[in-house]
Amino acid sequence: MHTARNFALGLLAAAAVATASDVEQLKKDTFDDFVKTNDIVLAEFFAPWCGHCKALAPEYEEAATSLKEKDIRLAKIDCTEETELCQQHGVEGYPTLKVFRGLDNVSPYKGPRKAAAITSYMIKQSLPAVSTLTKDTLEEFKKADKVVLVAFFDVADKASNETFSKVADKLRDNYPFGATNDAALAEAEGVTAPAIVLYKEFDEGKAVFTEKFDAEAIEKFTKTAATPLIGEVGPETYSDYMSSGLPLAYIFAETAEERKEISDLLKPVAEAQRGVVNFATIDAKAFGAHAGNLNLKTDKFPAFAIQETVKNQKFPYDQEKAITLEDIKTFVDDFVAGKVDPSIKSEPIPETQEGPVTVVVAKNYNDIVLDDTKDVLLEFYAPWCGHCKALAPKYEELAALYAKSEFKDKVVIAKVDATLNDVPDEVQGFPTIKLFPAGSKSEAVTYSGARTVEDLIKFIAENGKYKASVSEKSEEASAAPAATESTTSEAAKQTEDHDEL
């Protein structure tokens, strides 16, 4: 019996360990005190039924454990129980993550939802915009993140200090920034003030900036030097590559060995185009479906393609050809020189437009959407998207109202299957609805309201050139939350998370 009792106690202890959490669950009566007594808190507002929240949970737990020893606390709030608290903090979707430095200093969390990314982001948030460094703290600071920047100044050089601080304030979410005016320390690091050293855990280990301190030049240096020569596209890096402003060259391969082999082969091309084109490998077994978004075949690897991220143009390399250094160099050089035409995926132009909603494809996009004489409301949808299917009858009703109105020649209600047609617009989820006003096509307005006919009419009237308002004669649709299914790539669809590819 004694042995059985010990065994039972052991099971209870194991269960306690298994359920122990470094994430503090807060309620209305504990939230304020917790935020006030901790210097920095990351709070997740969630709902138990939310799929994205469930996917985040183990990552959030892992990050909480890593950050606890640094006195950075993670908390969670169940919005199905704490509705008033969640409303108080403006929660409109799940999960919502916010960084608290006290109750009056709140900012949205802007990083990926992976443990390593959460840990990295919160460590940067816990530091001042620029940390003052000494010979005793420099080595530890170098290890604060995968990329850190340290400026070396003369004591009297206020101009360089101010410029560096300005860049640090702008990029503090991305990198830790430190500074020192210790001349001996600069000498030990092999630089002469003023200079900036970017320390990194990859490639050559560090990069040095010795030009005149100009904010724009420092930003460009930082983004270029902080990007691996040939990195890896994945859930934690995809958004950074898309927001870099540089074209991205993808190397698709199914094994780590093959990705390394091709990376080593193409390294001279990547070095020659550093700061012009980013290069990265991508796991074709995990994310091979993404090749289809680049107009590549999804069953033939290895493969190579370039995406112009700003204009969302695709330049696939012929998959029937071998990937050789000489051929890829020529392909990339020609791309940079503007000698390669983008590949455009498009459905056929409809012979006739049936129904009140105008069907847009890539080949007639400019003619319809960019018609400068008309306000065009365009829905970007995916055939598999449940929210799009729910919207469809309301969207048809909206289109019918305008087709029968005095604005029939001034307002177009249109839709495009964004999975089968290349469009120049940034679309992060489905459905995405944008209004392209007549005379201001470059200033498209994204719709974020409830998906009712009445609210869409108000949106067109408020944002279109013609202020076109029509009467809704049909039965008023019930208000639906503006839920959105991600995303533009098949791999993201499978993971159902905006942070994924």
Side-chain angles (χ1 to χ4, degrees):
M1 289 293 292
H2 184 69
T3 303
R5 180 174 178 275
N6 286 347
F7 179 70
L9 289 174
L11 287 177
L12 288 172
V17 171
T19 57
S21 171
D22 290 319
V23 177
E24 189 79 16
Q25 180 141 4
L26 301 177
K27 299 181 178 294
K28 183 181 178 181
D29 58 354
T30 60
F31 184 88
D32 286 5
D33 285 342
F34 187 81
V35 170
K36 287 177 183 177
T37 54
N38 288 282
D39 291 336
I40 185 167
V41 173
L42 177 63
E44 177 203 1
F45 298 87
F46 75 99
W49 47 258
C50 163
H52 298 323
C53 305
K54 292 175 183 177
L56 171 62
E59 305 288 343
Y60 202 66
E61 288 284 353
E62 183 180 338
T65 301
S66 299
L67 291 166
K68 188 176 181 180
E69 63 184 30
K70 299 182 183 297
D71 293 325
I72 301 171
R73 299 303 305 277
L74 270 60
K76 62 182 180 181
I77 301 91
D78 183 345
C79 290
T80 63
E81 295 182 356
E82 304 297 325
T83 53
E84 185 179 340
L85 180 60
C86 293
Q87 289 173 357
Q88 177 186 336
H89 290 284
V91 177
E92 296 180 348
Y94 309 117
T96 292
L97 291 94
K98 297 192 176 189
V99 180
F100 288 82
R101 296 181 180 84
L103 292 171
D104 299 324
N105 187 348
V106 187
S107 59
Y109 172 80
K110 299 177 183 177
R113 298 180 197 152
K114 296 293 181 182
I118 294 170
T119 301
S120 172
Y121 185 92
M122 291 306 297
I123 288 174
K124 290 190 280 284
Q125 291 296 308
S126 70
L127 297 171
V130 179
S131 299
T132 301
L133 303 176
T134 67
K135 64 179 181 179
D136 296 324
T137 59
L138 176 60
E139 289 304 317
E140 182 180 355
F141 185 80
K142 288 181 185 179
K143 301 172 184 176
D145 208 356
K146 291 182 179 179
V147 174
V148 303
L149 288 96
V150 178
F152 298 86
F153 304 120
D154 290 331
V155 176
D157 190 354
K158 293 183 179 180
S160 295
N161 197 341
E162 289 176 0
T163 301
F164 186 71
S165 296
K166 180 180 177 181
V167 175
D169 283 334
K170 184 175 180 180
L171 301 180
R172 65 172 298 163
D173 290 347
N174 304 95
Y175 318 104
F177 288 78
T180 179
N181 53 29
D182 186 335
L185 194 53
E187 183 179 356
E189 293 299 310
V191 296
T192 302
I196 300 170
V197 180
L198 183 146
Y199 299 94
K200 49 188 173 180
E201 294 181 355
F202 47 86
D203 293 344
E204 68 275 29
K206 70 177 184 179
V208 181
F209 179 88
T210 56
E211 301 171 23
K212 180 181 177 181
F213 271 42
D214 170 79
E216 187 175 338
I218 294 172
E219 282 186 46
K220 183 178 180 181
F221 158 78
T222 300
K223 290 181 179 180
T224 300
T227 302
L229 182 63
I230 300 181
E232 182 177 1
V233 177
E236 294 182 22
T237 60
Y238 180 74
S239 61
D240 289 337
Y241 279 119
M242 291 301 101
S243 62
S244 71
L246 295 182
L248 175 61
Y250 292 83
I251 301 168
F252 283 88
E254 294 183 321
T255 67
E257 293 76 16
E258 192 171 29
R259 291 193 290 277
K260 183 180 186 306
E261 180 183 339
I262 299 175
S263 295
D264 291 343
L265 174 71
L266 301 184
K267 190 170 287 186
V269 185
E271 288 175 341
Q273 300 295 347
R274 189 162 206 166
V276 179
V277 178
N278 286 328
F279 280 70
T281 62
I282 180 168
D283 185 342
K285 281 188 176 178
F287 303 114
H290 187 59
N293 297 310
L294 302 168
N295 298 349
L296 288 166
K297 297 175 183 177
T298 59
D299 59 355
K300 188 175 178 61
F301 300 111
F304 184 88
I306 300 175
Q307 180 179 8
E308 212 296 340
T309 58
V310 175
K311 298 179 181 178
N312 194 27
Q313 294 176 329
K314 295 83 179 276
F315 301 82
Y317 176 77
D318 187 350
Q319 285 171 278
E320 300 304 318
K321 296 175 62 177
I323 293 177
T324 67
L325 174 61
E326 183 179 355
D327 286 346
I328 294 297
K329 180 181 184 306
T330 299
F331 181 75
V332 176
D333 287 347
D334 286 347
F335 164 79
V336 172
K339 297 178 181 179
V340 182
D341 293 328
S343 167
I344 299 177
K345 179 171 61 177
S346 178
E347 294 178 282
I349 296 176
E351 293 183 8
T352 58
Q353 291 286 356
E354 299 178 359
V357 178
T358 299
V359 176
V360 172
V361 299
K363 290 180 179 178
N364 67 4
Y365 179 95
N366 289 353
D367 293 336
I368 296 175
V369 180
L370 302 186
D371 182 344
D372 222 24
T373 66
K374 297 178 181 178
D375 290 338
V376 180
L377 187 73
L378 181 63
E379 176 202 0
F380 302 84
Y381 75 93
W384 45 259
C385 163
H387 300 311
C388 304
K389 293 173 184 176
L391 173 63
K394 300 174 189 177
Y395 205 67
E396 290 277 339
E397 180 184 343
L398 176 74
L401 288 171
Y402 276 99
K404 297 174 183 176
S405 76
E406 61 184 296
F407 301 106
K408 64 180 180 180
D409 296 323
K410 294 181 178 179
V411 176
V412 176
I413 309 300
K415 65 180 181 179
V416 60
D417 182 343
T419 68
L420 296 178
N421 296 277
D422 287 336
V423 292
D425 309 273
E426 181 181 354
V427 180
Q428 295 184 340
F430 300 122
T432 290
I433 302 172
K434 295 186 179 186
L435 179 69
F436 296 79
S440 306
K441 294 298 178 177
S442 63
E443 299 174 9
V445 185
T446 301
Y447 182 70
S448 58
R451 299 208 184 102
T452 67
V453 175
E454 181 183 7
D455 285 317
L456 286 165
I457 291 171
K458 287 180 182 177
F459 176 70
I460 294 170
E462 290 173 2
N463 296 282
K465 176 181 178 179
Y466 301 110
K467 307 302 177 187
S469 181
V470 295
S471 297
E472 183 187 359
K473 297 178 181 179
S474 60
E475 185 177 342
E476 191 172 294
S478 59
T484 300
E485 292 188 16
S486 61
T487 136
T488 55
S489 83
E490 204 52 35
K493 173 183 164 238
Q494 292 166 0
T495 59
E496 295 186 339
D497 195 321
H498 287 293
D499 292 331
E500 303 293 345
L501 232 89

